[in-house]
């Protein structure tokens, strides 16, 4: 008789907790964001919970997981950030709106530098992250999220109907903007002004690393659920996080 080898257990993917980004000035597209919010709420009042505040406007460059107390990962992330910062700062424009299906509404982001700087800093970020142990980085899709359904805490599945925003699809942008700093941001918490907490930052074009959050404060630990309701909330958060991993 033959004995079958036990099935290999697949190690679960670590939950994404942080990301590299180019922060967009809060006033950029604030008027358009307000018009979008009004249009979405008119279509479905629950969509008000999906709107991203202008203080969180950014262009995502890479995703990573920094475990609680993992100082090695934190150091590797900071080293990758500093390497990526060697790329020159891009100048961008926001020519209109688009969506990823009915779950994410975003402003299109296009390079106005004339020499591919936006793509270059994205490529530099991906190379640096993967070289420092953060593999499988997604392909760069330049966009700035204005609303996403994964942000809302509702029992029913929300949709962002195209009919609600298509009239604003070609709304004028906020002119050109130079994105001069690359940042390591935490997906959890708040910086006190409505934005994502900054863990570290570096000026594009070369410069010193600025550490904004002490290593011990880089991550947030989630305690184990103590009731069915707590477990339901935790699972709901996990589903939302999984749905939004590529649309931060």
């Amino acid at each position: 008789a033959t004995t079958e080898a036990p099935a290999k257990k697949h190690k679960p993917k670590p939950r994404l907790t942080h990301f590299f980004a180019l922060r967009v000035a809060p006033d950029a597209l604030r008027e358009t964001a307000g018009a979008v919010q009004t249009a979405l709420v008119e279509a479905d009042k629950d969509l008000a919970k999906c709107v991203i505040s202008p203080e969180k406007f950014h262009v995502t460059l890479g995703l990573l997981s920094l475990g609680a107390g993992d100082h090695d990962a934190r150091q590797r992330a900071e080293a990758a950030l500093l390497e990526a910062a060697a790329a020159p700062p891009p100048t961008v424009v926001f020519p209109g709106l688009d969506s990823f299906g009915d779950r994410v509404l975003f402003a299109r982001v296009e390079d106005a530098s004339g020499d591919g700087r936006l793509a270059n800093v994205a490529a530099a970020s991906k190379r640096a992250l993967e070289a420092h142990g953060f593999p499988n980085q997604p392909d760069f899709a330049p966009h700035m999220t204005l609303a996403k359904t994964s942000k809302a805490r509702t029992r029913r599945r929300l949709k962002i109907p195209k009919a609600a925003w298509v009239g604003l699809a070609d709304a004028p942008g906020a002119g050109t903007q130079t994105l001069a700093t690359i940042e390591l941001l935490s997906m959890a918490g708040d910086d006190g002004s409505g934005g994502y907490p900054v863990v570290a930052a570096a000026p594009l074009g070369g410069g010193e690393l600025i550490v904004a959050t002490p290593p011990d404060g880089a991550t947030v630990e989630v305690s184990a659920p103590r009731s069915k309701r707590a477990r339901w909330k935790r699972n709901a958060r996990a589903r939302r996080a999984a749905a939004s991993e590529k649309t931060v």
Side-chain angles (χ1 to χ4, degrees), residues 29 32-33 36 40 50 52 57-60 93-110 141-149 160 165 168-171 246-248:
L29 293 172
T32 298
V36 166
L40 295 185
C50 302
I52 305 297
F57 286 169
H58 68 276
V59 179
T60 301
V93 292
F94 309 93
L97 307 182
D98 206 340
S99 69
F100 295 134
D102 58 10
R103 308 188 80 170
V104 178
L105 176 63
F106 60 86
R108 301 198 310 272
V109 181
E110 292 184 359
H143 69 282
M144 188 184 77
T145 302
L146 295 175
K148 57 182 180 181
T149 57
I160 300 176
W165 58 266
L168 302 168
D170 297 318
K246 294 186 179 180
T247 56
V248 178

Short mmCIF file of all heavy atoms in Angstrom, two decimals, residues 29 32-33 36 40 50 52 57-60 93-110 141-149 160 165 168-171 246-248:
data_model
loop_
_atom_site.label_atom_id
_atom_site.label_comp_id
_atom_site.label_asym_id
_atom_site.label_seq_id
_atom_site.Cartn_x
_atom_site.Cartn_y
_atom_site.Cartn_z
N LEU A 29 -8.69 69.35 -7.35
CA LEU A 29 -9.95 68.66 -7.64
C LEU A 29 -10.94 68.70 -6.48
O LEU A 29 -11.89 67.93 -6.46
CB LEU A 29 -9.70 67.20 -8.04
CG LEU A 29 -8.97 67.00 -9.38
CD1 LEU A 29 -8.62 65.54 -9.55
CD2 LEU A 29 -9.82 67.47 -10.54
N THR A 32 -14.28 69.44 -7.97
CA THR A 32 -14.80 68.29 -8.69
C THR A 32 -15.25 67.21 -7.71
O THR A 32 -16.29 66.58 -7.90
CB THR A 32 -13.73 67.71 -9.63
OG1 THR A 32 -13.39 68.70 -10.61
CG2 THR A 32 -14.24 66.47 -10.34
N ALA A 33 -14.46 67.00 -6.65
CA ALA A 33 -14.82 65.99 -5.65
C ALA A 33 -16.15 66.33 -4.99
O ALA A 33 -16.98 65.46 -4.73
CB ALA A 33 -13.72 65.88 -4.60
N VAL A 36 -18.86 65.49 -7.40
CA VAL A 36 -19.02 64.04 -7.46
C VAL A 36 -19.81 63.54 -6.25
O VAL A 36 -20.73 62.74 -6.38
CB VAL A 36 -17.64 63.35 -7.51
CG1 VAL A 36 -17.77 61.86 -7.23
CG2 VAL A 36 -16.99 63.57 -8.87
N LEU A 40 -23.31 61.52 -6.39
CA LEU A 40 -23.43 60.17 -5.87
C LEU A 40 -24.52 60.07 -4.81
O LEU A 40 -25.29 59.11 -4.78
CB LEU A 40 -22.10 59.69 -5.30
CG LEU A 40 -20.94 59.53 -6.29
CD1 LEU A 40 -19.72 58.96 -5.59
CD2 LEU A 40 -21.33 58.66 -7.47
N CYS A 50 -18.74 56.45 0.68
CA CYS A 50 -17.71 55.94 -0.23
C CYS A 50 -16.73 57.01 -0.68
O CYS A 50 -15.69 56.71 -1.27
CB CYS A 50 -18.36 55.33 -1.48
SG CYS A 50 -19.52 53.99 -1.13
N ILE A 52 -13.87 59.74 -0.92
CA ILE A 52 -12.55 59.96 -0.33
C ILE A 52 -12.37 61.45 -0.05
O ILE A 52 -12.64 62.29 -0.91
CB ILE A 52 -11.44 59.48 -1.29
CG1 ILE A 52 -11.66 58.02 -1.69
CG2 ILE A 52 -10.06 59.69 -0.67
CD1 ILE A 52 -11.59 57.04 -0.56
N PHE A 57 -6.13 62.46 -1.08
CA PHE A 57 -5.84 62.34 -2.51
C PHE A 57 -4.38 61.94 -2.71
O PHE A 57 -3.47 62.54 -2.13
CB PHE A 57 -6.11 63.66 -3.23
CG PHE A 57 -7.56 63.98 -3.42
CD1 PHE A 57 -7.94 65.24 -3.86
CD2 PHE A 57 -8.55 63.04 -3.18
CE1 PHE A 57 -9.29 65.56 -4.05
CE2 PHE A 57 -9.90 63.35 -3.37
CZ PHE A 57 -10.26 64.61 -3.80
N HIS A 58 -4.16 60.94 -3.56
CA HIS A 58 -2.80 60.46 -3.81
C HIS A 58 -2.78 59.59 -5.07
O HIS A 58 -3.83 59.19 -5.58
CB HIS A 58 -2.31 59.62 -2.62
CG HIS A 58 -3.06 58.34 -2.48
ND1 HIS A 58 -4.27 58.24 -1.82
CD2 HIS A 58 -2.79 57.09 -2.93
CE1 HIS A 58 -4.71 57.00 -1.87
NE2 HIS A 58 -3.83 56.27 -2.55
N VAL A 59 -1.58 59.30 -5.53
CA VAL A 59 -1.37 58.36 -6.63
C VAL A 59 -0.57 57.19 -6.05
O VAL A 59 0.56 57.38 -5.58
CB VAL A 59 -0.60 59.01 -7.79
CG1 VAL A 59 -0.37 57.98 -8.91
CG2 VAL A 59 -1.36 60.22 -8.33
N THR A 60 -1.14 55.99 -6.06
CA THR A 60 -0.49 54.83 -5.47
C THR A 60 0.63 54.30 -6.37
O THR A 60 0.45 54.17 -7.59
CB THR A 60 -1.51 53.70 -5.24
OG1 THR A 60 -2.54 54.18 -4.37
CG2 THR A 60 -0.87 52.48 -4.60
N VAL A 93 -1.37 66.12 -14.76
CA VAL A 93 -2.66 66.77 -14.95
C VAL A 93 -3.74 65.74 -14.69
O VAL A 93 -3.49 64.53 -14.71
CB VAL A 93 -2.82 67.34 -16.39
CG1 VAL A 93 -1.86 68.49 -16.62
CG2 VAL A 93 -2.60 66.25 -17.44
N PHE A 94 -4.95 66.22 -14.44
CA PHE A 94 -6.10 65.36 -14.15
C PHE A 94 -7.17 65.65 -15.20
O PHE A 94 -8.03 66.51 -14.99
CB PHE A 94 -6.62 65.63 -12.74
CG PHE A 94 -5.55 65.59 -11.69
CD1 PHE A 94 -4.88 66.75 -11.30
CD2 PHE A 94 -5.20 64.39 -11.09
CE1 PHE A 94 -3.89 66.71 -10.33
CE2 PHE A 94 -4.20 64.34 -10.12
CZ PHE A 94 -3.55 65.51 -9.75
N PRO A 95 -7.15 64.95 -16.33
CA PRO A 95 -8.00 65.33 -17.46
C PRO A 95 -9.46 64.93 -17.38
O PRO A 95 -10.26 65.31 -18.24
CB PRO A 95 -7.31 64.63 -18.64
CG PRO A 95 -6.67 63.43 -18.04
CD PRO A 95 -6.22 63.86 -16.67
N GLY A 96 -9.86 64.16 -16.40
CA GLY A 96 -11.27 63.77 -16.32
C GLY A 96 -11.46 62.58 -15.41
O GLY A 96 -10.56 62.18 -14.67
N LEU A 97 -12.66 62.00 -15.43
CA LEU A 97 -13.02 60.90 -14.54
C LEU A 97 -13.14 59.59 -15.31
O LEU A 97 -13.40 59.56 -16.51
CB LEU A 97 -14.35 61.19 -13.84
CG LEU A 97 -14.48 62.51 -13.09
CD1 LEU A 97 -15.86 62.58 -12.42
CD2 LEU A 97 -13.38 62.68 -12.06
N ASP A 98 -12.97 58.50 -14.58
CA ASP A 98 -13.18 57.16 -15.13
C ASP A 98 -13.46 56.24 -13.95
O ASP A 98 -13.50 56.69 -12.80
CB ASP A 98 -11.95 56.70 -15.92
CG ASP A 98 -12.31 55.66 -16.99
OD1 ASP A 98 -13.39 55.04 -16.88
OD2 ASP A 98 -11.52 55.49 -17.94
N SER A 99 -13.64 54.96 -14.22
CA SER A 99 -13.97 54.05 -13.13
C SER A 99 -13.41 52.66 -13.37
O SER A 99 -13.08 52.28 -14.51
CB SER A 99 -15.49 53.94 -12.96
OG SER A 99 -16.06 53.26 -14.07
N PHE A 100 -13.28 51.90 -12.28
CA PHE A 100 -13.02 50.47 -12.34
C PHE A 100 -14.36 49.80 -12.06
O PHE A 100 -14.75 49.61 -10.90
CB PHE A 100 -11.99 50.06 -11.28
CG PHE A 100 -10.61 50.66 -11.50
CD1 PHE A 100 -9.92 51.22 -10.43
CD2 PHE A 100 -10.01 50.65 -12.74
CE1 PHE A 100 -8.66 51.76 -10.61
CE2 PHE A 100 -8.74 51.19 -12.94
CZ PHE A 100 -8.06 51.75 -11.87
N GLY A 101 -15.08 49.51 -13.11
CA GLY A 101 -16.40 48.92 -12.94
C GLY A 101 -17.33 49.85 -12.18
O GLY A 101 -17.32 51.06 -12.40
N ASP A 102 -18.12 49.27 -11.28
CA ASP A 102 -19.06 50.08 -10.49
C ASP A 102 -18.63 50.18 -9.03
O ASP A 102 -19.43 50.47 -8.16
CB ASP A 102 -20.48 49.51 -10.58
CG ASP A 102 -20.57 48.06 -10.11
OD1 ASP A 102 -19.59 47.56 -9.53
OD2 ASP A 102 -21.62 47.43 -10.32
N ARG A 103 -17.31 49.97 -8.78
CA ARG A 103 -16.84 49.95 -7.38
C ARG A 103 -15.85 51.06 -7.06
O ARG A 103 -15.70 51.42 -5.89
CB ARG A 103 -16.23 48.59 -7.06
CG ARG A 103 -17.13 47.42 -7.41
CD ARG A 103 -16.60 46.12 -6.91
NE ARG A 103 -16.90 45.95 -5.48
CZ ARG A 103 -16.73 44.83 -4.82
NH1 ARG A 103 -16.25 43.77 -5.43
NH2 ARG A 103 -17.01 44.76 -3.55
N VAL A 104 -15.16 51.58 -8.07
CA VAL A 104 -14.17 52.62 -7.82
C VAL A 104 -14.31 53.72 -8.87
O VAL A 104 -14.31 53.45 -10.08
CB VAL A 104 -12.73 52.06 -7.89
CG1 VAL A 104 -11.71 53.19 -7.68
CG2 VAL A 104 -12.53 50.97 -6.85
N LEU A 105 -14.43 54.95 -8.41
CA LEU A 105 -14.48 56.12 -9.28
C LEU A 105 -13.20 56.92 -9.05
O LEU A 105 -12.81 57.14 -7.90
CB LEU A 105 -15.70 56.99 -8.95
CG LEU A 105 -15.84 58.31 -9.72
CD1 LEU A 105 -16.01 58.06 -11.22
CD2 LEU A 105 -17.03 59.10 -9.18
N PHE A 106 -12.53 57.32 -10.13
CA PHE A 106 -11.26 58.00 -9.97
C PHE A 106 -11.05 59.11 -10.99
O PHE A 106 -11.73 59.16 -12.02
CB PHE A 106 -10.09 57.00 -10.07
CG PHE A 106 -10.00 56.27 -11.38
CD1 PHE A 106 -9.32 56.81 -12.47
CD2 PHE A 106 -10.60 55.02 -11.54
CE1 PHE A 106 -9.22 56.14 -13.67
CE2 PHE A 106 -10.51 54.33 -12.75
CZ PHE A 106 -9.82 54.90 -13.82
N ALA A 107 -10.12 59.99 -10.66
CA ALA A 107 -9.68 61.01 -11.60
C ALA A 107 -8.50 60.43 -12.38
O ALA A 107 -7.59 59.85 -11.79
CB ALA A 107 -9.25 62.28 -10.86
N ARG A 108 -8.53 60.57 -13.68
CA ARG A 108 -7.41 60.11 -14.49
C ARG A 108 -6.19 60.99 -14.21
O ARG A 108 -6.31 62.19 -13.96
CB ARG A 108 -7.74 60.15 -15.99
CG ARG A 108 -8.94 59.30 -16.36
CD ARG A 108 -8.99 58.99 -17.84
NE ARG A 108 -8.85 60.18 -18.67
CZ ARG A 108 -9.85 60.96 -19.05
NH1 ARG A 108 -11.08 60.67 -18.66
NH2 ARG A 108 -9.64 62.01 -19.82
N VAL A 109 -5.03 60.37 -14.23
CA VAL A 109 -3.78 61.09 -13.98
C VAL A 109 -2.87 60.88 -15.19
O VAL A 109 -2.58 59.74 -15.57
CB VAL A 109 -3.07 60.57 -12.71
CG1 VAL A 109 -1.78 61.36 -12.47
CG2 VAL A 109 -3.99 60.67 -11.50
N GLU A 110 -2.42 61.98 -15.79
CA GLU A 110 -1.54 61.89 -16.95
C GLU A 110 -0.27 62.70 -16.73
O GLU A 110 -0.30 63.76 -16.07
CB GLU A 110 -2.26 62.39 -18.21
CG GLU A 110 -3.40 61.48 -18.64
CD GLU A 110 -4.05 61.93 -19.94
OE1 GLU A 110 -3.61 62.98 -20.50
OE2 GLU A 110 -5.00 61.27 -20.39
N ALA A 141 -1.11 51.67 -12.50
CA ALA A 141 -2.31 52.16 -13.17
C ALA A 141 -2.56 53.57 -12.64
O ALA A 141 -3.18 53.73 -11.58
CB ALA A 141 -3.51 51.26 -12.88
N PRO A 142 -2.05 54.60 -13.32
CA PRO A 142 -2.16 55.96 -12.78
C PRO A 142 -3.59 56.42 -12.60
O PRO A 142 -4.34 56.54 -13.57
CB PRO A 142 -1.40 56.81 -13.81
CG PRO A 142 -1.42 55.99 -15.06
CD PRO A 142 -1.40 54.57 -14.64
N HIS A 143 -3.98 56.69 -11.37
CA HIS A 143 -5.32 57.18 -11.07
C HIS A 143 -5.31 57.78 -9.67
O HIS A 143 -4.42 57.52 -8.87
CB HIS A 143 -6.35 56.05 -11.14
CG HIS A 143 -6.20 55.03 -10.04
ND1 HIS A 143 -5.23 54.03 -10.07
CD2 HIS A 143 -6.88 54.86 -8.88
CE1 HIS A 143 -5.33 53.30 -8.98
NE2 HIS A 143 -6.32 53.77 -8.23
N MET A 144 -6.31 58.59 -9.39
CA MET A 144 -6.49 59.15 -8.06
C MET A 144 -7.94 58.88 -7.64
O MET A 144 -8.88 59.42 -8.21
CB MET A 144 -6.22 60.66 -8.06
CG MET A 144 -6.20 61.26 -6.66
SD MET A 144 -5.98 63.06 -6.69
CE MET A 144 -7.64 63.58 -7.17
N THR A 145 -8.09 58.01 -6.66
CA THR A 145 -9.42 57.56 -6.25
C THR A 145 -10.23 58.69 -5.63
O THR A 145 -9.75 59.41 -4.75
CB THR A 145 -9.31 56.40 -5.26
OG1 THR A 145 -8.57 55.33 -5.86
CG2 THR A 145 -10.67 55.89 -4.84
N LEU A 146 -11.47 58.82 -6.08
CA LEU A 146 -12.40 59.81 -5.54
C LEU A 146 -13.48 59.15 -4.68
O LEU A 146 -14.00 59.77 -3.74
CB LEU A 146 -13.07 60.59 -6.67
CG LEU A 146 -12.15 61.47 -7.53
CD1 LEU A 146 -12.94 62.07 -8.68
CD2 LEU A 146 -11.51 62.57 -6.70
N ALA A 147 -13.82 57.91 -5.02
CA ALA A 147 -14.83 57.17 -4.25
C ALA A 147 -14.65 55.69 -4.52
O ALA A 147 -14.32 55.28 -5.63
CB ALA A 147 -16.24 57.61 -4.65
N LYS A 148 -14.88 54.88 -3.46
CA LYS A 148 -14.81 53.43 -3.63
C LYS A 148 -15.78 52.78 -2.67
O LYS A 148 -15.91 53.17 -1.50
CB LYS A 148 -13.39 52.90 -3.41
CG LYS A 148 -12.77 53.22 -2.06
CD LYS A 148 -11.35 52.68 -1.99
CE LYS A 148 -10.69 52.99 -0.65
NZ LYS A 148 -9.31 52.48 -0.59
N THR A 149 -16.48 51.76 -3.15
CA THR A 149 -17.53 51.14 -2.34
C THR A 149 -16.96 50.36 -1.16
O THR A 149 -17.65 50.17 -0.16
CB THR A 149 -18.39 50.21 -3.20
OG1 THR A 149 -17.55 49.21 -3.82
CG2 THR A 149 -19.13 50.99 -4.29
N ILE A 160 -21.50 52.14 -7.69
CA ILE A 160 -21.38 53.54 -8.13
C ILE A 160 -21.89 53.60 -9.57
O ILE A 160 -21.17 53.21 -10.49
CB ILE A 160 -19.93 54.02 -8.05
CG1 ILE A 160 -19.42 53.93 -6.61
CG2 ILE A 160 -19.81 55.45 -8.56
CD1 ILE A 160 -17.95 54.29 -6.44
N TRP A 165 -22.20 59.95 -12.51
CA TRP A 165 -21.01 60.79 -12.67
C TRP A 165 -20.60 61.06 -14.11
O TRP A 165 -19.71 61.87 -14.37
CB TRP A 165 -19.81 60.16 -11.94
CG TRP A 165 -19.45 58.77 -12.40
CD1 TRP A 165 -19.86 57.60 -11.86
CD2 TRP A 165 -18.59 58.43 -13.50
NE1 TRP A 165 -19.32 56.53 -12.54
CE2 TRP A 165 -18.53 57.03 -13.56
CE3 TRP A 165 -17.87 59.16 -14.44
CZ2 TRP A 165 -17.79 56.33 -14.51
CZ3 TRP A 165 -17.13 58.47 -15.40
CH2 TRP A 165 -17.09 57.08 -15.43
N LEU A 168 -19.97 64.43 -15.37
CA LEU A 168 -18.79 65.12 -14.86
C LEU A 168 -17.50 64.52 -15.42
O LEU A 168 -16.40 64.94 -15.04
CB LEU A 168 -18.75 65.02 -13.34
CG LEU A 168 -19.94 65.59 -12.58
CD1 LEU A 168 -19.88 65.15 -11.11
CD2 LEU A 168 -19.95 67.11 -12.68
N ALA A 169 -17.62 63.54 -16.30
CA ALA A 169 -16.46 62.78 -16.77
C ALA A 169 -15.38 63.67 -17.39
O ALA A 169 -14.19 63.38 -17.27
CB ALA A 169 -16.89 61.72 -17.77
N ASP A 170 -15.79 64.74 -18.03
CA ASP A 170 -14.82 65.63 -18.67
C ASP A 170 -14.70 66.95 -17.93
O ASP A 170 -14.33 67.97 -18.52
CB ASP A 170 -15.21 65.87 -20.13
CG ASP A 170 -15.19 64.58 -20.95
OD1 ASP A 170 -14.25 63.79 -20.75
OD2 ASP A 170 -16.11 64.36 -21.76
N ALA A 171 -15.03 66.91 -16.64
CA ALA A 171 -14.92 68.14 -15.84
C ALA A 171 -13.47 68.64 -15.85
O ALA A 171 -12.53 67.84 -15.82
CB ALA A 171 -15.37 67.87 -14.41
N LYS A 246 -5.98 46.81 -4.46
CA LYS A 246 -5.40 47.36 -5.67
C LYS A 246 -5.97 48.72 -6.03
O LYS A 246 -5.68 49.27 -7.07
CB LYS A 246 -5.61 46.40 -6.83
CG LYS A 246 -4.85 45.08 -6.64
CD LYS A 246 -4.94 44.20 -7.86
CE LYS A 246 -4.16 42.90 -7.67
NZ LYS A 246 -4.24 42.04 -8.86
N THR A 247 -6.78 49.26 -5.15
CA THR A 247 -7.35 50.57 -5.44
C THR A 247 -7.21 51.49 -4.25
O THR A 247 -8.14 52.16 -3.85
CB THR A 247 -8.84 50.44 -5.83
OG1 THR A 247 -9.56 49.78 -4.78
CG2 THR A 247 -8.99 49.66 -7.11
N VAL A 248 -6.12 51.47 -3.64
CA VAL A 248 -5.88 52.35 -2.48
C VAL A 248 -5.86 53.80 -2.91
O VAL A 248 -5.30 54.10 -3.95
CB VAL A 248 -4.57 51.98 -1.81
CG1 VAL A 248 -4.28 52.91 -0.66
CG2 VAL A 248 -4.61 50.58 -1.30
#
